[in-house]
Amino acid sequence: IKQLAYQRHLQGINPFTGAVSLDGSQLPQVGGHESIRPGSSSSIEDLLSYNVYRSDNGTSFDMIANVLSPTLTYTDNDVVNGTTYWYYVTAVYNEGESGPSDTVSATPIAPSEFFDDFESYAPGVQLTVQSTNWTTWSGTPGTGEDPFVSDAQAFSGSNSVVIVQNNDLVKTFGSLTSGKWKISFYVYIPTGKAGYFNTLAGFTPNPFNWAMECYFDLGGSGRLLGGSSTAVTFSWAPDTWQLVEVIVDLNNDLAEFRFNGASIHTWQWTLGASGGGSPLRLDASDLFGATANDQMYFDDYGIEEYIVGIGDDQPQIPAEFSLQQNYPNPFNPSTVIKYALKENANVTLTIYNMLGQEVKTLVSAHQAAGIKEAAWDGTNNSGAQVASGIYIYRLEANDFVASRKMLLMK
């Protein structure tokens, strides 16, 4: 006789989906009716359904769903990120409804976009000693795997991080299994040096799995492994900052590698780096000093939810507000700034210099939800050309505020 299960414990809560998943694991009591257990004289047919109850204060519960047997799971999508919810379930039989199960709670959270320009760290000191946002392959700060913050090169500000032989720096993402994501950063490799990084579909505590690998070989030749053991080649330039982008669309099992704004390669994500297969998951970035020649500086590292699908330039209504990196960057004479509005909003997009002084207001209007863009031609509010240098652009949309840096080079 099949064991009766019902939703008692929360399992598999995905904090990146804005939903709470309930999974059955225990047996209820139904008043004086003994619960169905293996070997009992009752049958699974005695169970009709489950009622799911929810509260947003832990005391007052409302029934939100009736789940027909034998389904043992339920996902609550009608939740607000950052709000704690309490749940219990009951079992419904011909004789009536059981008492409540144990009460459990969960707090769904929104995807956390991450950005680090390394300006808050001390140069000459290893990164993971100073920051818990980063880790090493073995999780041990201060060892040879831990790279140093450097002020020898920087894309913005005065600091970057340099990856040399045996450094093994990891940025984890929390085992993303859905959504479209863009990892981006700038790299600088001196003449006569090389570099390497990879993106992982599996990292601790998951089994290690390489979903793509990128080599910056000596002499300006690059190799990308994505979906096949045959590398896709590209070129890179020494002694200059260049933009790296890895776009992973977990909803459609697609990935794309872009270098300096140009699409180099698109592949099926679950084929893995060399075609041997990967899980449909985005777990971490790994920046590794693979050889004695490796000396790769990187700066302005970020991961953000991506709005436009790979191979599809048609915008959609975004799920969240966001501000994207301008393109091109560095730029001369003009650049384009894209941003996303999840709802109609009062929008202000303003350019500031590094002293915090306003340079130009690009947008000051009420705008409808959608993907937007604004161009800046390097002029101030008076129409005069501004000097080369780093500028900050700041987006305010309802309660959302975000800013990024860009570099004007003449």
Side-chain angles (χ1 to χ4, degrees), residues 127-198:
L127 176 61
T128 72
V129 170
Q130 304 184 70
S131 173
T132 57
N133 290 321
W134 298 86
T135 188
T136 65
W137 188 268
S138 60
T140 51
T143 65
E145 292 181 340
D146 194 353
F148 283 85
V149 177
S150 173
D151 58 3
Q153 303 290 342
F155 173 74
S156 65
S158 58
N159 289 346
S160 65
V161 173
V162 59
I163 305 294
V164 299
Q165 187 176 25
N166 297 325
N167 290 164
D168 208 346
L169 181 68
V170 176
K171 174 58 189 172
T172 58
F173 306 136
S175 297
L176 299 169
T177 57
S178 64
K180 303 171 186 177
W181 302 91
K182 181 172 74 171
I183 304 161
S184 63
F185 53 95
Y186 289 86
V187 296
Y188 180 102
I189 303 173
T191 297
K193 298 298 181 179
Y196 168 86
F197 78 94
N198 65 67

Side-chain angles (χ1 to χ4, degrees), residues 25 39 141 156 186 188 230-231 250 267 271 285 292 307 311 321 324 354 364 382 387 389 397 402-403:
S25 61
S156 65
Y186 289 86
Y188 180 102
T230 301
L250 295 169
W267 72 98
L271 289 176
S285 279
I307 309 297
F321 289 108
Q324 297 187 22
M354 292 299 289
S364 181
S382 300
S403 61

Side-chain angles (χ1 to χ4, degrees), residues 26-259:
Q26 296 285 338
L27 302 177
Q29 295 289 335
V30 187
H33 186 319
E34 183 179 357
S35 302
I36 299 172
R37 299 177 183 274
S40 79
S41 60
S42 301
S43 70
I44 191 68
E45 284 75 20
D46 289 338
L47 173 70
L48 301 177
S49 61
Y50 306 103
N51 289 335
V52 181
Y53 292 82
R54 185 184 74 186
S55 171
D56 59 8
N57 57 22
T59 56
S60 178
F61 287 80
D62 295 310
M63 192 179 84
I64 60 170
N66 177 260
V67 181
L68 296 178
S69 176
T71 301
L72 302 178
T73 60
Y74 173 74
T75 300
D76 183 9
N77 292 302
D78 185 21
V79 294
V80 176
N81 291 323
T83 300
T84 299
Y85 297 90
W86 288 260
Y87 297 86
Y88 68 77
V89 300
T90 62
V92 180
Y93 294 88
N94 288 323
E95 293 91 335
E97 184 178 6
S98 75
S101 68
D102 291 348
T103 299
V104 289
S105 63
T107 306
I109 60 175
S112 297
E113 297 187 349
F114 174 81
F115 179 79
D116 201 340
D117 61 7
F118 310 110
E119 294 304 297
S120 62
Y121 312 126
V125 182
Q126 289 169 295
L127 176 61
T128 72
V129 170
Q130 304 184 70
S131 173
T132 57
N133 290 321
W134 298 86
T135 188
T136 65
W137 188 268
S138 60
T140 51
T143 65
E145 292 181 340
D146 194 353
F148 283 85
V149 177
S150 173
D151 58 3
Q153 303 290 342
F155 173 74
S156 65
S158 58
N159 289 346
S160 65
V161 173
V162 59
I163 305 294
V164 299
Q165 187 176 25
N166 297 325
N167 290 164
D168 208 346
L169 181 68
V170 176
K171 174 58 189 172
T172 58
F173 306 136
S175 297
L176 299 169
T177 57
S178 64
K180 303 171 186 177
W181 302 91
K182 181 172 74 171
I183 304 161
S184 63
F185 53 95
Y186 289 86
V187 296
Y188 180 102
I189 303 173
T191 297
K193 298 298 181 179
Y196 168 86
F197 78 94
N198 65 67
T199 309
L200 294 156
F203 185 71
T204 305
N206 298 313
F208 296 130
N209 187 281
W210 286 258
M212 62 84 68
E213 297 183 82
C214 181
Y215 297 81
F216 299 98
D217 295 323
L218 291 173
S221 296
R223 292 177 290 135
L224 179 80
L225 290 174
S228 171
S229 58
T230 301
V232 175
T233 60
F234 63 98
S235 297
W236 62 273
D239 303 322
T240 188
W241 286 99
Q242 293 160 101
L243 176 62
V244 171
E245 296 172 291
V246 179
I247 301 166
V248 182
D249 185 350
L250 295 169
N251 296 335
N252 294 295
D253 192 13
L254 288 173
E256 182 179 10
F257 174 69
R258 295 179 181 176
F259 190 65

